Amino acid sequence: MNVADLTARFLTAVAGEDEKYAHKAAVSVMNELKDDLDGVAGALDYLTGSGGNALQAFYRAPNLSLLKVRFPDGRRTPPHNHGTWAAILVLSGAEKNSLYTRGEDGTLSYERSIELTAGSVLFMPADAVHVAECLGDEPAIGLHVYGANVLGVERAMWDPDSLAEQPLDWSQYEGLAQRASAADKAPLT
Ligand SMILES: [Fe+2]
């Protein structure tokens, strides 16, 4: 498998679907890819670095984004949403996802945490808010798929200490991520 094959599988799956069902088509491709995690990892090996930033994106369109995301040991995100549905297929390592509900006024309520290992798929609807963190010494590396241009769409992030909601601004995101990573655990858990 190469990155063109991988991208084409998602584009083909999503192109044939009504927008309402695109997430189901994408998740079913992710479930098929569980059988070839090494193939997916090999296709994305050329994407170096960490984070889920523009350098780790390999496809971005108004209706679909494909990113390799790498969280090294000790890395935790601030609470954030995606402005669209999101799905994660873990390729290697393990990560913990803490899921929250956003109240009408922007306040967060903790819902539950899920531990993902290689081959796990997690789907999050458009209203989901989460914190992702690496578990263990090995980096958590995943294929992340989103139903919009995830690096351009309007999104929110929450201060990991005050839990105040603010627009997701990439120039401020890293500072929040560093404070989130320095904490003992995800907020409200
Ligand atoms: Fe996320």
Side-chain angles (χ1 to χ4, degrees), residues 71-176:
F71 296 124
D73 180 17
R75 179 72 171 191
R76 179 184 292 119
T77 71
H80 62 274
N81 67 13
H82 307 101
T84 180
W85 58 264
I88 299 171
L89 167 63
V90 175
L91 302 174
S92 60
E95 65 175 64
K96 180 174 172 182
N97 275 260
S98 300
L99 299 165
Y100 301 84
T101 303
R102 179 192 183 279
E104 300 251 314
D105 58 356
T107 56
L108 292 184
S109 309
Y110 170 69
E111 287 287 317
R112 65 197 168 105
S113 294
I114 304 173
E115 292 191 8
L116 309 176
T117 54
S120 300
V121 173
L122 173 67
F123 173 75
M124 289 175 275
D127 61 358
V129 176
H130 81 143
V131 167
E133 61 193 280
C134 178
L135 287 178
D137 303 334
E138 193 188 334
I141 298 177
L143 169 64
H144 292 215
V145 181
Y146 308 88
N149 171 18
V150 75
L151 300 176
V153 77
E154 199 173 295
R155 295 170 58 181
M157 61 184 182
W158 282 259
D159 186 292
D161 297 311
S162 70
L163 292 181
E165 183 185 31
Q166 58 192 93
L168 198 156
D169 173 348
W170 290 107
S171 70
Q172 294 185 30
Y173 177 88
E174 184 57 26
L176 270 62

